[in-house]
Amino acid sequence: MPEPVVPEKPAVLTRPQIDEALAGLPDWRYRLGGLVTVYKLPTAAKALDLIAAVGRSAEEQNHHPDLDWRFNRVFIRFTSHDAGTEVTQRDITAAKSASSEAEAAGATPEPGLYRTIEVAIDTADPAEISEVWRVALGYKKGRYGDLVDPYGRGPSLWFQKTSTPSPNRLHLDIHRSKEESGGVLEKTAGTGALMDYGHAPHWVVVTDSQGNRLCLCTEEGHEPDL
């Protein structure tokens, strides 16, 4: 019998290629291997109509997004799982189609509302502990040694390798695009938190008055050390 034909994986786009495509997709942002946006509709019923329209388009293209409905807002994420949860040309095409459907529905783009949160663990040896967390969470291994929910529901888990782990080993990485990060950094600084800009513009380390940390990540990528 002839060997079954295995479909060729789609080519993963480089970051410059993604940025070039995003120049023509003002409603969308790049975030951790996907294209994301939020659309606001006049009513909840209109939001459901948009979901149905995007769904029909996805069926025609055989490329389906992660969709989240919150009253009159629709959160959308496109990524190519068969390419390692990365962005391919299919995601660019699908995002364009979704934008066309949103425009026809009278939707208002609000991409800044799409926040991506990771739980991060400081560790000197990620391999020593990652399997415990993967099995317990029911997650799969991600692109850079992180763990991701195969159904896209829970936050990903990032093992931050460092020889000087913080006493509080768990922290959050909060990812936004550069377009939306400035105001958040300013408001966070206004709370009195300690702001470490040593790694800006990629990320800013925030420490509260009790020593707990979070990272406001303003560009794609993970911090190598805190």
Side-chain angles (χ1 to χ4, degrees), residues 86-128:
E86 298 282 0
V87 173
T88 68
Q89 185 58 47
R90 290 184 309 178
D91 301 300
I92 303 298
T93 302
K96 289 180 180 178
S97 296
S99 291
S100 296
E101 298 290 356
E103 183 179 6
T108 301
E110 298 181 328
L113 293 184
Y114 202 112
R115 291 181 282 276
T116 304
I117 298 175
E118 288 182 306
V119 177
I121 300 178
D122 282 4
T123 174
D125 186 358
E128 183 179 6

Side-chain angles (χ1 to χ4, degrees), residues 38-62:
V38 180
Y39 286 111
K40 180 181 179 181
L41 284 299
T43 65
K46 292 290 186 181
L48 282 174
D49 289 342
L50 177 59
I51 290 173
V54 171
R56 287 191 295 269
S57 177
E59 278 292 292
E60 293 171 359
Q61 299 177 56
N62 193 29

